[in-house]
Amino acid sequence: MPDYKSIDSKTVEGRRTAEKLLLLKFELDKVIPSKTVDPTLLLATWNIREFGGTKSGGREEEPLFYIAEIMSRFDIIAVQEVRDDLDALDKLLQILGSWWKYIVSDVTLGTQGNNERHAYIYDTRKISFGGMAGELVPEMKKDGGVLKSDFAFSRTPYIAGFKAGWFKFTLCTQHFYYGEDKADDPQRLKEAQTVLKLLKKRMQSKDAWSGNSILLGDFNVFSLHDETFLAIEKEQFHVPASLKGTYTNSNRDKPFDQIAFLARDVEKQLGLARAGTFPFFDHVYRDADWKTYLPNKTFNEYKQWRTFKMSDHLPLWVELFVDFGDA
């Protein structure tokens, strides 16, 4: 379990944090399967809004404790919107414990890149980093003897190889371009089509790091009818049946985030795999807590403020069976 010894029960904030953590632990126990030593892998993706940023005062210890408690329920988490400053990430790892590690991408520069990183946070008691990590870029074409590309991602996808027992897998996390507040922004759709084609091509190579590829992250999908979502199935990637249509934004009205598999070792179980989200605002920073935190602000201001403490996205997870010993 995470390290909570720094909580000061003599303060109002400390007592509140301890009480909320107890409630959070109880609710997580009801929703998320228990971690195991060998048989299963609990994989998650979570866009944590401006993680490491300073808006609304940044993140104090209280929300970091809640985020750590949620993360501790998984074996590996792909995180989007990690900012240039890694102090918050380092503090989170201190709470999680010394057996937790992370690897991060560099920031993507430019207006669209928003100085964001991608991160993988993983429990080394279960997961080992395979040594392969890098950014996924579109293929270059030769033009008059010069290599050129006519397309670039707003935020560069981050790919890395991991092992969990018998299961060797490649993760690719991405935060697709949002653009206009509508389904199928042209650039967003192009990014989805491009990353899926690149991953599929890598999986078909005899030199692929593994035969199991998982694309996960913030796809900014508005509905399952979006061309952005349909591109997943067109390239033979599979979304677990229990995740299709799951709302992952904090307002719970859009399936923004996705986990999609082109993974021969686990594809047969995706129809029955346990999966879901965790609506943390039902338990911490609740609607009913408005006056506790921001007594001099409006309710709408409070709802916006709390997304910079936790997030405006929910964690999305899936449980996989990865003990192939019988086979």
Side-chain angles (χ1 to χ4, degrees):
M1 64 174 288
D3 183 356
Y4 296 133
K5 66 178 182 290
S6 65
I7 296 175
D8 185 357
S9 62
K10 296 178 183 178
T11 67
V12 173
E13 293 79 8
R15 287 194 298 274
R16 178 181 66 225
T17 302
E19 289 168 359
K20 292 292 187 182
L21 279 169
L22 287 170
L23 174 62
L24 201 56
K25 289 164 73 70
F26 178 75
E27 296 297 334
L28 285 162
D29 285 343
K30 293 194 296 187
V31 175
I32 298 173
S34 298
K35 292 170 73 169
T36 62
V37 175
D38 291 318
T40 61
L41 170 68
L42 281 163
L43 169 68
T45 181
W46 194 0
N47 179 327
I48 304 181
R49 189 174 195 181
E50 296 206 19
F51 193 59
T54 58
K55 287 186 179 178
S56 294
R59 283 178 174 84
E60 304 85 2
E61 273 199 329
E62 181 178 352
L64 288 176
F65 283 131
Y66 302 150
I67 292 169
E69 180 60 44
I70 295 169
M71 280 196 174
S72 72
R73 302 307 178 105
F74 307 112
D75 296 309
I76 184 167
I77 310 101
V79 181
Q80 302 83 46
E81 284 204 35
V82 177
R83 305 311 293 261
D84 204 350
D85 188 335
L86 295 176
D87 284 353
L89 183 56
D90 288 331
K91 289 177 183 176
L92 177 67
L93 267 288
Q94 289 174 12
I95 297 170
L96 281 167
S98 60
W99 50 94
W100 284 85
K101 304 293 181 187
Y102 68 74
I103 59 172
V104 295
S105 68
D106 197 2
V107 297
T108 304
L109 299 176
T111 302
Q112 291 186 358
N114 200 29
N115 284 337
E116 290 181 21
R117 304 176 187 269
H118 297 298
Y120 295 111
I121 303 174
Y122 59 101
D123 186 340
T124 60
R125 297 172 300 180
K126 182 66 170 284
I127 303 291
S128 60
F129 171 52
M132 185 277 290
E135 297 179 336
L136 198 65
V137 296
E139 291 183 275
M140 307 293 284
K141 298 176 182 177
K142 212 165 197 179
D143 182 6
V146 179
L147 290 175
K148 293 182 179 179
S149 175
D150 58 1
F151 177 78
F153 293 104
S154 57
R155 304 172 185 90
T156 310
Y158 190 43
I159 189 168
F162 297 94
K163 296 178 183 177
W166 294 87
F167 189 46
K168 185 178 181 183
F169 58 102
T170 298
L171 294 183
C172 181
T173 187
Q174 171 62 325
H175 183 186
F176 289 132
Y177 180 70
Y178 188 80
E180 296 184 22
D181 187 19
K182 65 178 184 180
D184 294 326
D185 179 278
Q187 182 170 329
R188 187 191 316 145
L189 176 57
K190 178 70 171 176
E191 288 190 354
Q193 293 169 335
T194 301
V195 73
L196 286 159
K197 282 179 167 43
L198 287 171
L199 282 176
K200 186 176 181 181
K201 187 170 184 177
R202 287 303 301 149
M203 289 304 100
Q204 293 171 340
S205 168
K206 64 180 179 60
D207 298 317
W209 190 85
S210 82
N212 301 296
S213 181
I214 306 168
L215 176 64
L216 69 175
D218 180 0
F219 290 20
N220 281 315
V221 168
F222 280 55
S223 80
L224 299 191
H225 303 294
D226 285 13
E227 287 298 322
T228 306
F229 180 81
L230 297 177
I232 296 171
E233 295 179 336
K234 285 180 181 177
E235 295 299 334
Q236 286 81 53
F237 280 73
H238 301 113
V239 175
S242 48
L243 286 186
K244 282 192 176 180
T246 300
Y247 295 144
T248 66
N249 61 329
S250 59
N251 290 332
R252 286 187 262 182
D253 60 4
K254 302 253 184 343
F256 278 154
D257 306 86
Q258 299 290 330
I259 304 176
F261 293 78
L262 187 61
R264 63 193 181 200
D265 290 339
V266 296
E267 281 183 348
K268 289 182 179 179
Q269 60 180 277
L270 295 181
L272 300 174
R274 290 191 288 182
T277 62
F278 182 72
F280 44 78
F281 284 139
D282 289 351
H283 315 296
V284 298
Y285 297 101
R286 303 169 304 166
D287 290 356
D289 297 328
W290 162 30
K291 292 297 184 180
T292 299
Y293 289 101
L294 293 183
N296 299 318
K297 299 291 185 180
T298 67
F299 180 60
N300 284 336
E301 287 174 318
Y302 167 69
K303 287 182 71 176
Q304 178 75 353
W305 172 86
R306 68 183 180 177
T307 64
F308 290 100
K309 302 303 173 182
M310 295 297 292
S311 184
D312 55 350
H313 288 247
L314 307 178
L316 187 70
W317 61 270
V318 63
E319 180 190 46
L320 302 172
F321 287 92
V322 294
D323 181 353
F324 309 131
D326 290 348

